[in-house]
Amino acid sequence: MPDKKDPIVCSAAPDQRRTVLVLALGGTIAMTPTSAQGGVTPTLTGSDLVTAVPGLQDFEVTAEDFRRLPGASLTTGDIVELTHRLEQADREGVHGVVVTQGTDTLEETSFLADLYYRGDMPVVFTGAMRSAFSAGADGPANLLAAAQTAASPQANGQGVLVVLGDQIHAARHVRKMHTTSPAAFHSPESGPLGHVIEGAVRLHHDPSRHIGLIALPVNPASRPPEVDIVTASMGSTGVLLHGLEKKLSGLVVAALGAGHVPDTWVPRLTALATEIPVVLASRIGTGPVLTSTYSFPGSEIDLLDRGLIAAGSLDPYKARLLLGAQLAAGAARPEIAEAFRRYA
Ligand code: ASP
């Protein structure tokens, strides 16, 4: 395990005798032009992806087609089932797993897998911003760097990682921050955990995992609790908040700034918080919600006093997944609040 006091915690050449399992879920990395409208759709198999990457054959790589979907169509159930496959691969003695998928939901799927996955075997999510046959396709280089990371003993015990553009991110921090750029993934709160350089993993700091927070649902097909996000904006009257207690098991508010909503939202949020857990996150995407600075109506102090739960530095999308996973595990409000406190 890395020494927390040392800023550069490791650097080692890839060990090519290590076994890597590639689980392919679809996404742009597997997309080719097929549709009548001229767009791309996921067509390539996991072994198509592996065969196309020079250097990958040097590892002992096997590929499985787990799903063949755009990122937007993946579900919580898919990721629960994927996590069961990860735990099984760990038991089988696989050295590391690469998950290839659409970048649209990669920051969410990897975080959900990180909440559930308890093993030490490296698990690395990757994808591509450019489809397989486009000029400058980034998929092959991303897949190679992801496999080098998954094969690296230095990645053991680091939780679920995300590798794109030779940067290694913790799933807990990573966000997609551009719609088209190949450099779309960043960890704005913490910076990347490390880099892949000349095929070797260099980690700059420790991701501080929160292991074993949440029990993995036994049945991936069971219906997950309905949890959704409502975003605050200037002058909004909060019309979307009405009747939510009948539709949702939990709500995340993507608030303005450090955790603020228009004062017109306050009565409705107060009523909702007596019925279902309501989590206060920020729509900004970087930085935590505050807990003790502002006290105007609709401020963080006001809303937390009215029973909302602070999301810490989790963005609304990751907060929604943590809340949903807690509810699926049967957690009551104090346990939910405690889970969020750990991410503060
Ligand atoms: N733009 C997406 C991607 O990069 C499409 C998807 O998420 O499937 O993979």
Side-chain angles (χ1 to χ4, degrees):
M1 281 293 286
D3 177 356
K4 285 188 188 164
K5 288 178 224 90
D6 185 348
I8 304 287
V9 292
C10 54
S11 165
D15 180 346
Q16 296 177 340
R17 287 152 308 165
R18 289 170 74 85
T19 52
V20 175
L21 171 64
V22 175
L23 298 174
L25 271 62
T28 296
I29 192 167
M31 291 197 194
T32 58
T34 47
S35 73
Q37 299 106 304
V40 294
T41 58
T43 56
L44 301 179
T45 64
S47 49
D48 291 334
L49 297 181
V50 167
T51 317
V53 181
L56 207 51
Q57 295 79 6
D58 298 338
F59 293 96
E60 270 186 47
V61 181
T62 50
E64 281 177 27
D65 296 314
F66 198 80
R67 297 284 185 274
R68 200 172 302 157
L69 294 170
S73 296
L74 292 170
T75 64
T76 301
D78 292 327
I79 303 310
V80 169
E81 197 174 325
L82 179 83
T83 311
H84 282 287
R85 182 67 188 94
L86 298 175
E87 307 273 3
Q88 186 192 340
D90 205 4
R91 289 193 295 272
E92 289 165 356
V94 171
H95 288 119
V97 174
V98 174
V99 178
T100 61
Q101 71 148 89
T103 59
D104 289 354
T105 51
L106 202 149
E107 67 195 278
E108 290 169 73
T109 54
S110 59
F111 178 67
L112 186 58
D114 193 47
L115 287 178
Y116 284 137
Y117 176 61
R118 287 158 194 248
D120 279 341
M121 172 193 73
V123 174
V124 183
F125 279 61
T126 194
M129 295 299 290
R130 295 178 178 151
S131 60
F133 293 140
S134 59
D138 50 336
N142 285 343
L143 181 50
L144 179 60
Q148 287 164 334
T149 306
S152 168
Q154 281 74 27
N156 274 352
Q158 301 289 347
V160 173
L161 302 173
V162 171
V163 171
L164 289 105
D166 289 344
Q167 291 192 329
I168 304 170
H169 299 271
R172 184 235 165 294
H173 290 295
V174 77
R175 297 187 61 218
K176 183 176 181 180
M177 300 186 72
H178 198 282
T179 53
T180 62
S181 166
F185 281 79
H186 299 275
S187 299
E189 194 78 14
S190 63
L193 272 189
H195 291 86
V196 181
I197 296 183
E198 296 182 322
V201 166
R202 288 165 184 256
L203 295 181
H204 308 309
H205 53 86
D206 184 318
S208 307
R209 284 185 82 186
H210 302 294
I211 299 175
L213 255 185
I214 298 175
L216 179 62
V218 180
N219 178 8
S222 61
R223 210 164 165 241
E226 204 67 63
V227 177
D228 226 317
I229 302 168
V230 175
T231 304
S233 53
M234 191 274 293
S236 161
T237 56
V239 69
L240 292 180
L241 296 171
H242 288 277
L244 283 187
E245 59 274 57
K246 297 195 193 76
K247 297 182 190 158
L248 298 181
S249 305
L251 172 69
V252 175
V253 177
L256 301 156
H260 306 149
V261 298
D263 55 0
T264 51
W265 282 39
V266 172
R268 197 76 271 284
L269 285 179
T270 309
L272 278 169
T274 63
E275 304 280 334
I276 55 174
V278 181
V279 171
L280 182 67
S282 170
R283 69 176 199 175
I284 302 284
T286 318
V289 286
L290 294 174
T291 56
S292 58
T293 301
Y294 295 97
S295 54
F296 54 82
S299 67
E300 81 284 357
I301 290 181
D302 182 35
L303 296 172
L304 298 178
D305 274 355
R306 293 168 186 276
L308 276 72
I309 297 166
S313 57
L314 289 180
D315 68 36
Y317 314 109
K318 293 189 202 284
R320 172 180 168 267
L321 294 168
L322 179 57
L323 178 56
Q326 287 287 342
L327 289 168
R333 198 187 173 289
E335 293 158 85
I336 293 171
E338 177 54 27
F340 279 96
R341 250 194 303 281
R342 295 196 207 184
Y343 280 94

